[in-house]
Amino acid sequence: MAKDVIIACDFKSADETIKFLDRLTRIRDEVVSCDDISIGAGRPYVKIGMEAFYAAGPELIKKLKERGHKVFLDLKLHDIPNTVKKTMQVLGEYGVDMVNVHAGGGIEMMKAAKEGLMLGAARYADKPKLIAVTQLTSTDQATLRDELLIDKPMADVVRQYALNAKAAGLDGVVCSAFEAADIHAACGDDFITVTPGIRFEDSASDDQKRVMTPARAREAGSDYIVVGRPITAAERPIDAYVRCKEEFLQG
Ligand code: C5P
């Protein structure tokens, strides 16, 4: 199964995003050859979230695809099945590589999302991956119990939501690296785990509560790690990116 590092480009505008990626790739082209195994050929896989997408829209996605990036469009759709299906069709037409929904929308909604996405992506040979958010990492056991009135342990809820996503035909879930092994055990090795909350041994945790290093995430079975500030806020982002790839892919 393909494993990769996805850079979370949490910038407010298309300009800032492109400026950052220009800086990253310009230095990259100077210091490493395209077939360097630690980086891989082509441009880095990037994640675009709601902030940048609502500010810059499809134009930004188009630009990133033209530049050769793989794009994970992290919009976490959650609505009635018909609306999600039609919206996913639009997103599929952009040629994105990965997109997501909230598993909390239910199996019918997730099935509709997949149908819409595949309709939109019909002309692309490489079909986009559709993954689900199980529970947000900002939701803790107390929130689950007191606000959502769910009495089950968080691990059971996350596992069940992952099973629902699999039943709907989705490719995987976004989860904590700490949950990756349990999800693979329940849903199979082919069911992908995309894990944020990644930090180097010597970097700040910022606002992330449960963090793991790239090497530990690999051991835990993560298929893709999503890394933001340890790369985007580094003095030399290219060094941080290369380090991340090396630790995650080679140990
Ligand atoms: O900067 P940092 O590495 O913490 O960025 C992590 C990225 O992953 C952010 O874009 C954040 O929104 C996203 N994310 C997360 N936890 C989740 C789901 C997404 O940190 N459960």
Side-chain angles (χ1 to χ4, degrees), residues 8-10 47 49 74 76 133 135-138 174-176 196-199 205-208 226-230 232:
C9 290
D10 292 322
K47 178 173 90 71
D74 180 18
K76 302 185 180 72
V133 176
Q135 283 291 337
L136 293 169
T137 43
S138 51
V174 183
C175 63
S176 157
I198 302 297
R199 290 294 180 270
S205 302
D206 304 305
D207 52 353
Q208 295 283 11
V226 175
V227 189
R229 287 160 291 181
T232 56

Side-chain angles (χ1 to χ4, degrees), residues 102-165:
H102 268 286
I107 294 176
E108 200 195 330
M109 187 207 77
M110 290 191 275
K111 278 186 179 167
K114 172 109 190 195
E115 275 174 35
L117 184 63
M118 290 306 135
L119 281 174
R123 68 193 155 107
Y124 299 105
D126 280 339
K127 300 301 177 198
K129 298 213 182 312
L130 178 59
I131 59 172
V133 176
T134 53
Q135 283 291 337
L136 293 169
T137 43
S138 51
T139 302
D140 60 11
Q141 192 70 52
T143 314
L144 212 57
R145 185 188 59 234
D146 302 335
E147 297 178 24
L148 305 180
L149 305 185
I150 297 172
D151 285 328
K152 304 268 191 219
M154 180 62 84
D156 292 2
V157 177
V158 167
R159 191 182 313 111
Q160 184 59 47
Y161 281 27
L163 285 166
N164 291 350

Side-chain angles (χ1 to χ4, degrees), residues 187 219 239 242:
C187 302
E219 287 160 20
D239 294 346
V242 171

